[in-house]
């Protein structure tokens, strides 16, 4: 029997490690590849292209990149050049699409169609809503889409925070982005055979606005180290996250400015920041207590040396792979409520707080009690092993793709 063929369209290079988006894309790529001869097409909107996709090479998958930079939708390009913020906001509202959607212009859709023309694909899978339109011009009969998270909710959360800070135009822009996400999903969802999301909380939020959607939950996952070692360097705090992602930047800047000084008054600590990308917002914040390492290829030694992992996040949707990863490595965690939303990790297995004083107090309490740190870390790792094991989830997802491909 002839093996099916699949096209996988991604906004960044999938991987087994790296940032959360890369890791989730990697799970889906590996699952598709288990049941179909797969080709990978990267539209590098959110990360690197095929040249950095080690996973594709390991799986024997042909990968290519379509450079979308410079061929943004003309209307968005024009409105983004307006000098007046008020005029730019008004034009964006009239535009009706999201800023990320503008990267999938008509020339991009046509280029994708031309690249796959003549290939007899049985399935096209797309990772993330904001590039979903690229799949619709391929002519492939079976289509699947991983939403990952509720993008509109994430934009509305940013709008809420901006309003609280008195940034009215920023809030209005974020609300317009949210409306654009909902419009796009409502317009194209029925053209996909399956829609996936990372957690039940995002599924419920999406269904509250799009009642007819058939959403399947595929949890985020990590590969569990067989027996994680602990080689703690005293009082070392660790933050891991993509430093090009606004919620990560917002959270770590808040921590350095509002929380870290409270801790340093009581106890000398070191904060390590690890992640791809660069943020101007972090410039000048690194000092004797803060170390910015940038991208680290293998995080094992970093996790082993960390006393605590922190996740001080206040916006963004989905479930945080780096929270799961820290637990998998046996590193105890202090996090905000939003950082752990949608995860089965309970308050008994981590420390949780949503204001500066509470977050600082939680860190000091954890640093002062090694036995409690170890107890909570064991509990969190057990939950990850039960719910978020990568190998099991890849297998389950491969079976789902197999069912879709078997349908005539």
């Amino acid at each position: 029997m002839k093996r099916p063929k699949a096209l996988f369209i991604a906004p960044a290079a999938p991987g087994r490690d790296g940032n959360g988006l890369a890791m989730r894309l990697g799970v889906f790529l590996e699952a598709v590849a288990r049941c179909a001869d797969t080709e990978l097409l990267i539209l590098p909107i959110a990360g690197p292209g095929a040249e950095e996709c080690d996973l594709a090479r390991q799986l024997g998958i042909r990968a290519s990149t379509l450079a979308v930079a410079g061929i943004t939708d003309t209307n968005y390009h024009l409105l983004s050049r307006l000098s007046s913020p008020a005029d730019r906001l008004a034009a964006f509202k009239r535009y009706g699409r999201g800023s990320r959607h503008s990267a999938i212009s008509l020339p991009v859709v046509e280029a994708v169609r031309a690249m796959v023309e003549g290939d007899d694909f049985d399935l096209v899978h797309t990772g993330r809503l904001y590039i979903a339109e690229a799949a619709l011009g391929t002519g492939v009969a079976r289509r699947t889409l991983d939403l990952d998270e509720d993008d509109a909710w994430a934009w509305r959360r940013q709008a809420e925070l901006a309003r609280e800070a008195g940034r009215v135009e920023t809030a209005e822009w974020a609300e317009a982005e949210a409306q654009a996400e909902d419009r796009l999903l409502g317009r194209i969802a029925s053209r996909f055979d399956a829609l996936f999301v990372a957690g039940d909380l995002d599924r419920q939020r999406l269904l509250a606005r799009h009642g007819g959607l058939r959403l399947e939950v595929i949890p985020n996952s990590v590969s569990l180290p067989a027996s994680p070692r602990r080689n703690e360097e005293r009082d070392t705090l660790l933050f891991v996250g993509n430093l090009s992602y606004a919620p990560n930047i917002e959270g770590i800047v808040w921590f350095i400015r509002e929380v870290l000084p409270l801790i340093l008054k009581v106890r000398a600590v070191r904060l390590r920041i690890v992640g791809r990308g660069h943020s101007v917002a972090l410039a000048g914040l690194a000092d004797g207590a803060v170390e910015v390492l940038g991208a680290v290829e293998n995080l094992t030694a970093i996790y082993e040396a960390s006393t605590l992992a922190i996740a001080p996040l206040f916006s963004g949707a989905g479930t945080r792979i780096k929270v799961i990863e820290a637990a998998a490595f046996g590193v105890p965690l202090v996090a905000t409520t939003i950082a752990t939303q949608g995860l089965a990790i309970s308050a008994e297995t981590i420390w949780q707080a949503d204001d500066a004083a509470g977050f600082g107090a939680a860190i000091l309490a954890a640093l002062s009690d090694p036995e409690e740190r170890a107890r909570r870390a064991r509990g969190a790792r057990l939950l990850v092993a039960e719910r978020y094991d990568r190998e099991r989830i890849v297998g389950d997802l491969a079976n789902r793709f197999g069912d879709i491909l078997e349908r005539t």
Side-chain angles (χ1 to χ4, degrees), residues 43-58:
L43 312 180
I45 297 167
E51 70 281 357
E52 295 191 33
C53 192
D54 293 336
L55 180 58
R57 287 187 284 275
Q58 293 163 10

Side-chain angles (χ1 to χ4, degrees), residues 210-240:
H210 304 273
L213 294 185
R214 291 175 294 174
L215 296 167
E216 304 176 37
V217 175
I218 302 297
N220 283 326
S221 60
V222 295
S223 298
L224 272 81
S227 54
R229 295 167 50 200
R230 304 294 293 126
N231 186 27
E232 292 182 24
E233 297 177 8
R234 180 175 171 81
D235 293 352
T236 297
L237 312 179
L238 176 64
F239 176 87
V240 179

Side-chain angles (χ1 to χ4, degrees), residues 88-399:
R88 192 161 56 247
L89 174 60
F92 181 60
K93 289 179 178 180
R94 292 194 299 271
Y95 174 61
R97 300 181 75 201
S99 57
R100 294 184 299 186
H101 309 162
S102 68
I104 310 302
S105 61
L106 288 176
V108 169
V109 173
E110 176 58 25
V112 171
R113 187 201 62 77
M115 289 179 74
V116 304
E117 191 171 21
D119 284 312
D120 190 19
F121 289 111
D122 300 288
L123 170 74
V124 58
H125 173 77
T126 308
R128 296 307 296 261
L129 175 63
Y130 54 84
I131 63 166
E133 291 169 296
L136 300 179
T138 60
V140 180
R142 296 183 186 90
R143 306 185 190 96
T144 57
L145 171 62
D146 178 31
L147 300 173
D148 185 0
E149 61 185 43
D150 182 354
D151 289 325
W153 186 91
W155 280 115
R156 289 192 171 99
R157 175 60 178 162
Q158 288 192 36
E160 179 184 354
L161 293 173
R163 278 191 291 270
E164 290 174 357
R167 304 194 308 273
V168 177
E169 287 184 347
T170 300
E172 289 189 29
W173 186 287
E175 178 57 37
E177 295 271 20
Q179 292 175 13
E181 299 286 358
D182 274 334
R183 276 194 297 269
L184 177 60
L185 182 58
R187 181 166 59 84
I188 69 173
S190 63
R191 301 178 67 180
F192 289 86
D193 295 86
L195 298 171
F196 304 106
V197 69
D200 193 59
L201 181 58
D202 284 279
R203 178 180 176 273
Q204 292 173 24
R205 287 170 174 162
L206 284 161
L207 288 176
R209 303 190 312 275
H210 304 273
L213 294 185
R214 291 175 294 174
L215 296 167
E216 304 176 37
V217 175
I218 302 297
N220 283 326
S221 60
V222 295
S223 298
L224 272 81
S227 54
R229 295 167 50 200
R230 304 294 293 126
N231 186 27
E232 292 182 24
E233 297 177 8
R234 180 175 171 81
D235 293 352
T236 297
L237 312 179
L238 176 64
F239 176 87
V240 179
N242 182 352
L243 298 179
S244 299
Y245 182 51
N248 284 341
I249 298 165
E250 168 194 76
I252 194 59
V253 168
W254 171 81
F255 179 83
I256 293 171
R257 289 178 174 168
E258 304 294 332
V259 183
L260 189 57
L262 302 178
I263 299 170
L264 292 173
K265 287 180 181 179
V266 179
R267 191 165 185 147
V269 299
R270 174 177 58 178
L271 169 64
R272 280 181 170 166
I273 301 173
V274 178
R276 178 188 293 274
H278 173 72
S279 170
V280 175
L282 288 177
L285 293 180
D287 57 22
V290 181
E291 183 181 1
V292 182
L293 300 182
V296 175
E297 186 173 341
N298 189 330
L299 286 169
T300 300
I302 298 292
Y303 278 120
E304 288 176 354
S306 300
T307 313
L308 286 173
I310 62 169
L313 304 178
F314 294 95
S315 61
T319 57
R320 318 295 179 170
I321 290 182
K322 292 307 179 183
V323 168
I324 304 170
E325 188 175 70
F329 275 93
V331 182
L333 178 74
V334 181
T336 57
T337 303
I338 281 185
T340 59
Q341 67 178 357
L343 293 173
I345 295 175
S346 68
E348 294 181 354
T349 57
I350 63 170
W351 282 265
Q352 209 160 35
D354 290 319
D355 62 85
F359 208 95
I363 287 175
L364 289 170
L367 292 176
S368 300
D369 194 339
E371 291 185 2
E372 183 63 12
R373 290 202 306 271
R375 186 192 71 79
R376 296 196 192 197
R378 285 193 299 270
R381 190 173 190 275
L382 179 61
L383 283 169
V384 169
E386 292 174 348
R387 301 287 293 270
Y388 307 112
D389 177 63
R390 186 181 189 279
E391 180 60 27
R392 178 182 59 78
I393 289 173
V394 168
D396 291 345
L397 184 56
N399 291 335

Side-chain angles (χ1 to χ4, degrees), residues 10-84:
R16 287 199 176 97
D17 50 26
N19 64 44
L21 174 61
M23 292 171 71
R24 184 166 178 85
L25 290 169
V27 166
F28 277 79
L29 180 63
E30 196 163 338
V32 172
R34 288 191 184 184
C35 52
D37 292 334
T38 303
E39 293 186 17
L40 171 64
L41 175 60
I42 300 176
L43 312 180
I45 297 167
E51 70 281 357
E52 295 191 33
C53 192
D54 293 336
L55 180 58
R57 287 187 284 275
Q58 293 163 10
L59 296 174
I61 291 173
R62 186 175 77 175
S64 58
T65 301
L66 173 60
V68 299
I71 47 178
T72 300
D73 184 14
T74 301
N75 289 331
Y76 183 78
H77 177 71
L78 291 173
L79 77 85
S80 65
R81 297 182 66 183
L82 293 172
S83 58
S84 165

